[in-house]
Amino acid sequence: MNLAIGGTIGTGIFLSAGSAIALAGPGSALLSYMVVGLFVYTVVITLGEMAAMFPVSGAFSVFGTRFVSPALGFTLGWNYWLQWALSIPSELTAASIILQFWAPHIQPWQWALVIIVPIFALQLIHVRVYGESEYWLALIKVLMIIVFVIVGLIYDWGGIKGHPGPGRANFENSQAFIGGFANFAQTFVYAFYSFGGVELVAIAAGESSLPYRTVPRAIKATFFRIVLFYILTILTIGLCINWRDPTLLTAAHDSDVTASPITVVFQRAGFGAAVHVVNAVLLTAVLSATNSAFYGSSRMLLSLARAGQAPRVFGWVNSRGVPVPALL
């Protein structure tokens, strides 16, 4: 369960969610995340059924080959591998930018080396180490979201002395829905990006115990928790920050953590030091994404190799079940 939570809750909710509100208003953003959440639910629930019946590590390509054609399995597998493989350098860059907030004199490539070496080493030990690290990284992010929702709603309702909240003002006077259907449709990009990673439960099905029991339960529970976190977060941001606020427009593209809507809400509620806390949580989100990128890409390449759709050497695993050539 924590694999999907750790892989899904990340920069999509901490940074780019504010851009959806700035683009189409808080009402449109909230509705967009609900619609996309329903769409993702139908996909993930069917994926969970297949993963429970045929628990194979790197499930996507296997399902494409088994139920449609080898061509679909080949295309699906290599595209998914490329997605995660190309995510590794981008996540390392993001982590370097975050760490430069505290140590600007250190070059980004130096931070990238400091990060990639221990994460790669953890992947070489055992899949349980990956699961354990994702559990704790996911727990940090979940606690951050819970605290943010509670503080944000109290601030919005005027519960913090000396910091009057906006109440329902950001949803009144035709501010909830901005730009019509065209802007509403564009917010789907941010919503789909935010939900990316929820499929990691199915990827790990082949390495879990009793997958016919644990995988369906984990996928259902994970999905509803993620939707709940996202909807409450979008609602809280929309209530506390007006859609015209410039910080919402720059949050998805600005490397400065102070642009995050979560940081803005904490600061307006009177918690100025929150910028360091949010920066630390953003770092755990990026580390979690890097960890997931190594795991997802290596297991997919392993599956492709064993299906004869990639060089055979990538199908080798050591005595602990770790696909070392695929990780390299």
Side-chain angles (χ1 to χ4, degrees):
M1 185 185 303
N2 283 281
L3 300 183
I5 292 177
T8 305
I9 298 178
T11 54
I13 194 67
F14 288 115
L15 293 174
S16 61
S19 297
I21 296 174
L23 178 64
S28 292
L30 190 61
L31 182 60
S32 173
Y33 274 77
M34 289 180 179
V35 171
V36 171
L38 181 62
F39 179 85
V40 172
Y41 174 73
T42 60
V43 174
V44 170
I45 207 71
T46 54
L47 179 61
E49 291 181 359
M50 291 186 289
M53 181 161 292
F54 307 104
V56 181
S57 184
F60 294 102
S61 60
V62 173
F63 296 158
T65 300
R66 185 184 186 100
F67 297 114
V68 183
S69 72
L72 178 63
F74 178 88
T75 305
L76 192 59
W78 278 107
N79 274 304
Y80 193 76
W81 176 82
L82 280 171
Q83 171 203 323
W84 281 118
L86 295 177
S87 294
I88 294 173
S90 65
E91 296 296 345
L92 289 174
T93 302
S96 302
I97 292 172
I98 291 170
L99 286 166
Q100 281 189 310
F101 179 80
W102 291 306
H105 58 283
I106 299 179
Q107 295 298 316
W109 67 267
Q110 294 172 315
W111 280 125
L113 285 178
V114 170
I115 294 166
I116 196 172
V117 171
I119 290 181
F120 184 76
L122 287 175
Q123 292 283 336
L124 288 174
I125 298 173
H126 198 277
V127 68
R128 291 177 183 172
V129 177
Y130 163 73
E132 188 70 20
S133 60
E134 279 299 295
Y135 173 83
W136 291 107
L137 291 173
L139 183 62
I140 293 171
K141 290 184 283 187
V142 168
L143 290 176
M144 179 66 185
I145 293 294
I146 292 173
V147 171
F148 165 73
V149 170
I150 293 173
V151 171
L153 291 178
I154 293 175
Y155 160 69
D156 180 67
W157 296 336
I160 299 178
K161 188 175 180 180
H163 299 276
R168 295 176 298 176
N170 294 332
F171 278 81
E172 296 174 343
N173 301 319
S174 302
Q175 295 187 96
F177 300 92
I178 306 298
F181 181 78
N183 285 22
F184 169 68
Q186 290 181 59
T187 61
F188 288 168
V189 176
Y190 299 106
F192 275 114
Y193 171 73
S194 297
F195 277 99
V198 73
E199 78 287 344
L200 283 169
V201 172
I203 290 287
E207 299 177 78
S208 60
S209 59
L210 301 176
Y212 62 91
R213 290 183 183 175
T214 57
V215 171
R217 185 170 66 244
I219 283 183
K220 290 177 183 177
T222 298
F223 175 81
F224 287 114
R225 281 168 173 78
I226 290 173
V227 169
L228 185 63
F229 289 143
Y230 272 54
I231 290 176
L232 287 176
T233 302
I234 292 292
L235 176 62
T236 304
I237 294 173
L239 285 170
C240 297
I241 306 177
N242 189 272
W243 69 277
R244 295 188 183 91
D245 196 298
T247 58
L248 294 181
L249 289 169
T250 59
H253 313 289
D254 198 334
S255 60
D256 188 354
V257 69
T258 58
S260 169
I262 293 180
T263 306
V264 172
V265 172
F266 275 122
Q267 289 178 329
R268 293 181 182 178
F271 300 95
V275 61
H276 296 284
V277 177
V278 175
N279 201 48
V281 175
L282 274 174
L283 179 61
T284 65
V286 172
L287 293 177
S288 174
T290 307
N291 203 20
S292 298
F294 272 111
Y295 180 82
S297 60
S298 62
R299 267 51 179 189
M300 182 56 72
L301 190 56
L302 167 67
S303 177
L304 288 168
R306 291 190 169 178
Q309 297 172 337
R312 189 176 300 177
V313 65
F314 295 119
W316 182 84
V317 298
N318 61 16
S319 59
R320 298 183 299 275
V322 178
V324 178
L327 272 172
L328 294 173

